[in-house]
Amino acid sequence: PIMYVDPLGDFRTKFGANVYKFFHGGEVSKAKGGERAGEYFVGKEVDYKGEGVGTSYQRTFDSKISSGAEYIRGGLGAFANFNLFLLGGGGNQTYKEGSFEADEMASSPGILKGIDKLKKELEKDVKNTKTEFGYDFSPDLKTVLNKTLETGNPLNGFSIENKDAHIDAFKDQSWTKLYVGGYDGAKISKIDANTVKIIIENKTTANSFLIHGAELIFGEENGEKIFNNLWNKTPFLNTLNQRFEFTVPLKK
């Protein structure tokens, strides 16, 4: 028989599964079917204590030590990225399937949005196996300010998508999701009946940190234009380009 151990939900990353493997042994795999499709687990044979004798196969999908290790690993990664952005001249980074950062982005609610869009495209045309999607993380600051003045509650200026994005990032304690934020032009393509491939490209520049303030002061269109002009005139400011590539189950 197959036994399941799942105290907290699932390993968010392959890194987390490997941490558990280091202390308890076993082999890291990814579930391919059923409700746990796409989740990492550590499998190993253990003594079977039910009726009869022999061994059973135990699949462990999470552990407290792995959750803590994932949080620390995420913080170190975010610190390294900020150093690259501020001091290291920026650069280009690609995170492939199974990397810590790609695994974190794979659980973003934005991925569900992309899958839903692809499913609707497939309903219209089964040959249309590719599409693009975006995901809003940050709310419009002017709307937040107005709603705060009107109601006293800044959260009233957040869209449902904004709220879901922030809740997800804090629930997972994911530095990767906080650093990336929202994105546009993410690509999703069906590679077989059960799997899709996601590509997210994210660019972090100095004006991406300042542009929200500019939009609040000068309006969305003028604020973006002002800081884009500033960016073009200040080449010493760094750009960090990030590319995430991973697969997820189509049915998610």
Side-chain angles (χ1 to χ4, degrees):
I2 297 177
M3 299 168 57
Y4 293 92
V5 180
D6 193 16
L8 301 175
D10 62 272
F11 294 114
R12 290 192 292 109
T13 65
K14 188 176 183 179
F15 169 81
N18 277 316
V19 169
Y20 182 87
K21 173 188 172 182
F22 177 80
F23 289 101
H24 300 279
E27 296 297 328
V28 175
S29 300
K30 203 173 191 179
K32 295 182 179 180
E35 295 181 357
R36 301 168 187 269
E39 294 182 17
Y40 289 104
F41 67 89
V42 179
K44 65 177 180 178
E45 289 189 350
V46 297
D47 291 335
Y48 179 52
K49 298 180 180 179
E51 294 182 4
V53 295
T55 61
S56 63
Y57 191 74
Q58 177 177 288
R59 288 182 171 185
T60 300
F61 283 81
D62 204 350
S63 72
K64 290 182 178 180
I65 190 171
S66 293
S67 297
E70 286 173 329
Y71 177 70
I72 294 171
R73 169 63 179 81
L76 291 173
F79 180 74
N81 281 335
F82 275 114
N83 276 338
L84 275 175
F85 171 68
L86 295 172
L87 305 174
N92 300 283
Q93 295 175 316
T94 298
Y95 303 108
K96 298 280 190 178
E97 177 92 4
S99 68
F100 179 84
E101 287 78 6
D103 285 345
E104 285 223 302
M105 292 304 295
S107 64
S108 162
I111 303 307
L112 297 178
K113 181 180 178 182
I115 291 174
D116 286 343
K117 183 178 180 182
L118 180 61
K119 285 180 177 178
K120 291 177 181 177
E121 296 289 339
L122 288 169
E123 288 175 0
K124 297 177 184 176
D125 182 1
V126 294
K127 295 181 180 179
N128 189 11
T129 59
K130 299 179 180 180
T131 191
E132 295 187 358
F133 66 99
Y135 183 53
D136 290 330
F137 188 87
S138 300
D140 175 69
L141 288 185
K142 183 166 282 188
T143 301
V144 172
L145 178 60
N146 290 337
K147 289 295 182 181
T148 302
L149 294 175
E150 291 174 10
T151 68
N153 186 355
L155 292 179
N156 289 333
F158 283 57
S159 69
I160 294 176
E161 190 164 298
N162 297 152
K163 290 178 181 177
D164 287 345
H166 283 79
I167 289 171
D168 174 70
F170 287 109
K171 174 178 67 68
D172 281 353
Q173 297 180 319
S174 173
W175 293 101
T176 303
K177 292 175 184 176
L178 284 173
Y179 188 85
V180 172
Y183 43 84
D184 292 312
K187 297 178 176 61
I188 180 171
S189 57
K190 181 181 177 183
I191 58 178
D192 62 39
N194 302 308
T195 313
V196 294
K197 181 175 182 178
I198 309 285
I199 297 176
I200 298 173
E201 293 184 305
N202 179 64
K203 179 183 289 188
T204 301
T205 62
N207 74 336
S208 69
F209 286 108
L210 300 172
I211 197 169
H212 295 308
E215 291 173 350
L216 180 61
I217 298 170
F218 302 107
E220 185 171 349
E221 184 176 346
N222 290 330
E224 183 176 359
K225 186 182 297 183
I226 288 170
F227 272 90
N228 279 334
N229 288 337
L230 174 64
W231 165 251
N232 291 329
K233 294 176 182 177
T234 50
F236 60 87
L237 295 176
N238 301 320
T239 299
L240 180 61
N241 297 300
Q242 295 173 299
R243 179 183 174 96
F244 303 84
E245 300 178 8
F246 51 87
T247 60
V248 294
L250 177 58
K251 70 170 191 174
K252 266 203 166 198

